[in-house]
Amino acid sequence: SLVPHDARTIRYPDPSIKVNDTIKVDIADSKILDHIKFEVGNLAMTTGGFNQGRVGIVSHREKHPGGYDILHLKDSRGHSFATRINNVFVLGHHDTPSVKLPPRNGIRLNIEEERQERIRKSS
């Protein structure tokens, strides 16, 4: 059986679903509609840490036995960032999201860009 983050139990899941894969579930009858493998090249979002809310393509996974595995991602602007594997949620196959992305598509602005945006909104 499969136990997602909301503690429901899904019996007899597809055997190709592994740890950290993302599943799309029909809530009414608890059936798996789709699953996305947790692998290099897929689109992912960070859900915790300093880079929370950023979206990027998984580019590399560092394995640290006895410690936290580190995942390296690259956003659509070409900026690379890294976070613990527990802070990452896979959103789609390659660069196509399976869900609607947050404003600015998960791109973090630098200080100057944030300032210019605030000035533009206030005027």
Side-chain angles (χ1 to χ4, degrees):
S1 65
L2 181 72
V3 182
H5 73 280
D6 62 354
R8 76 175 68 226
T9 301
I10 299 173
R11 303 184 83 194
Y12 310 112
D14 184 351
S16 65
I17 299 174
K18 304 294 182 204
V19 175
N20 294 326
D21 288 354
T22 299
I23 58 172
K24 189 184 262 187
V25 178
D26 181 10
I27 297 174
D29 57 359
S30 293
K31 299 287 183 197
I32 298 174
L33 302 175
D34 188 22
H35 77 278
I36 304 166
K37 302 296 282 178
F38 191 86
E39 57 190 17
V40 172
N42 282 344
L43 187 69
M45 176 182 224
T46 55
T47 58
F50 180 74
N51 293 308
Q52 183 174 5
R54 291 182 76 177
V55 176
I57 304 290
V58 178
S59 59
H60 178 68
R61 177 179 180 175
E62 286 180 24
K63 294 188 178 188
H64 296 276
Y68 295 103
D69 288 356
I70 304 296
L71 212 62
H72 295 267
L73 297 100
K74 184 177 278 193
D75 65 14
S76 61
R77 287 183 156 185
H79 299 141
S80 296
F81 57 99
T83 188
R84 291 180 179 178
I85 197 165
N86 297 344
N87 295 336
V88 176
F89 184 81
V90 179
L91 292 178
H93 300 285
H94 306 293
D95 60 348
T96 309
S98 295
V99 295
K100 185 178 175 189
L101 293 177
R104 294 190 311 263
N105 295 328
I107 303 291
R108 175 176 284 163
L109 302 177
N110 62 31
I111 295 171
E112 182 62 28
E113 292 168 333
E114 285 179 6
R115 179 179 175 272
Q116 290 173 356
E117 187 173 318
R118 281 195 311 272
I119 291 170
R120 185 178 47 81
K121 284 183 180 179
S122 66
S123 59

